[in-house]
Amino acid sequence: MAEKNFQGWLRRWLSSRDWSERMNALFLIEDLQMKAMLLEMERLYRSDRVTRGEEEKLLTIFARFDYSPVVTYVLEPKYELTEFAYRVIFGHMSERLLRQVEQRFDELTRAGKCAFVDMIGIRRREERSFLLELLASDESELRVRALKAMAEIGMPLEAERLKQHLCSSHWQERLMAARLAGKCREERLLPLLYERLSDRSFVVRSEAAAAIARLPGGRTALRAAARTASDRYARDMARQWLGGGE
């Protein structure tokens, strides 16, 4: 019904010089799922008058409509897209489109790469080999996002691999490595996490204690830390996670 009755005036709105009319048309097209308007939206996207806000809305609609050219548009946007904008667009993409973006991951901007890795965790996509590759990246931010995604999915990582991230010079990387260690639930990770109870960052100490508490033998390790750890911060953090009653 929408396609039969609304296309005429929606076309007029999309070609209007009034920005608000064009945006209102885009919101209606999205809400009514009017895929028949793709050609008109394509014209608007390719025009010189398209604004930053319109581009973001158009790319979101293209993603929702599973429109293949959106992959190229995301890789080569007219305006610089924010990480939030990328996350919204990727959040509406089908697995088919996400696979295409993944194949051209290196062409994304830094914000696009971070948003894409976040989306792996948000959508619980099983991308072990891809995430493992990112853990070897020279960019600490990508390593952090990969560890975060693995923690959200519950994807285990062997102790030897986790060790290098738990000892990173970047506190965000140590934080996410500790979070992932808690999801792995392997007792052999206890010594590595025990060291992080003395971390110079409070949030890392707290995450390490939380991870230890989840591991087999973890509460015993926390009791030992509360009594005998040489670092005052480690003792305090252990007591905090023991609830002060042990």
Side-chain angles (χ1 to χ4, degrees):
M1 184 192 72
E3 291 179 355
K4 179 179 179 181
N5 296 292
F6 300 156
Q7 283 194 66
W9 58 268
L10 282 174
R11 287 194 186 96
R12 289 193 294 273
W13 278 14
L14 285 179
S15 61
S16 171
R17 292 186 178 184
D18 188 326
W19 176 85
S20 63
E21 287 188 351
R22 298 198 302 270
M23 285 298 290
N24 284 335
L26 292 175
F27 276 104
L28 279 171
I29 289 168
E30 181 179 26
D31 290 342
L32 297 172
Q33 293 287 297
M34 294 179 65
K35 294 186 178 182
M37 297 297 296
L38 275 170
L39 181 60
E40 285 73 15
M41 288 190 293
E42 178 77 34
R43 289 197 187 103
L44 174 59
Y45 184 83
R46 291 176 176 272
S47 71
D48 294 334
R49 69 175 181 275
V50 69
T51 64
R52 183 188 300 272
E54 287 172 310
E55 178 184 31
E56 292 180 4
K57 175 53 68 175
L58 282 163
L59 293 178
T60 300
I61 297 172
F62 289 158
R64 291 191 66 176
F65 289 2
D66 203 29
Y67 186 50
S68 293
V70 71
V71 174
T72 300
Y73 297 156
V74 163
L75 295 169
E76 301 173 3
K78 290 174 173 284
Y79 298 94
E80 183 178 355
L81 297 174
T82 64
E83 190 175 320
F84 177 77
Y86 276 113
R87 191 177 289 116
V88 171
I89 295 164
F90 292 147
H92 287 296
M93 281 188 175
S94 64
E95 280 297 311
R96 180 182 71 86
L97 293 180
L98 287 174
R99 290 289 181 189
Q100 293 180 33
V101 175
E102 183 179 319
Q103 291 169 4
R104 302 175 64 181
F105 180 79
D106 291 339
E107 299 177 45
L108 285 168
T109 63
R110 188 170 184 272
K113 289 177 179 177
C114 290
F116 185 84
V117 179
D118 282 351
M119 195 52 57
I120 292 176
I122 292 169
R123 292 176 57 160
R124 302 294 194 271
R125 300 178 65 226
E126 292 296 329
E127 295 287 351
R128 183 174 179 81
S129 59
F130 178 71
L131 292 173
L132 288 176
E133 287 180 15
L134 291 180
L135 290 183
S137 171
D138 292 333
E139 295 187 50
S140 62
E141 184 64 27
L142 290 182
R143 298 196 301 272
V144 170
R145 301 296 177 115
L147 288 167
K148 180 182 177 183
M150 294 176 77
E152 289 175 346
I153 297 170
M155 187 178 295
L157 187 65
E158 57 272 18
E160 200 57 40
R161 290 290 298 272
L162 263 176
K163 181 178 181 179
Q164 60 182 316
H165 302 293
L166 284 167
C167 298
S168 169
S169 59
H170 302 279
W171 69 265
Q172 299 95 331
E173 188 169 354
R174 300 195 302 275
L175 172 67
M176 290 304 162
R179 185 170 300 174
L180 178 56
K183 296 293 181 71
C184 293
R185 298 178 182 273
E186 291 187 31
E187 191 169 0
R188 58 181 177 172
L189 291 169
L190 277 175
L192 299 175
L193 290 167
Y194 194 93
E195 292 178 10
R196 296 276 63 82
L197 288 177
S198 302
D199 197 277
R200 59 184 177 274
S201 168
F202 172 83
V203 291
V204 175
R205 296 197 300 272
S206 180
E207 194 66 50
I212 289 173
R214 297 188 192 103
L215 300 183
R219 295 191 69 81
T220 299
L222 287 176
R223 292 188 193 99
R227 292 194 307 269
T228 64
S230 58
D231 183 81
R232 177 172 63 86
Y233 293 113
R235 295 195 300 272
D236 290 345
M237 186 57 68
R239 291 190 188 109
Q240 180 178 327
W241 273 89
L242 288 169
E246 297 186 54

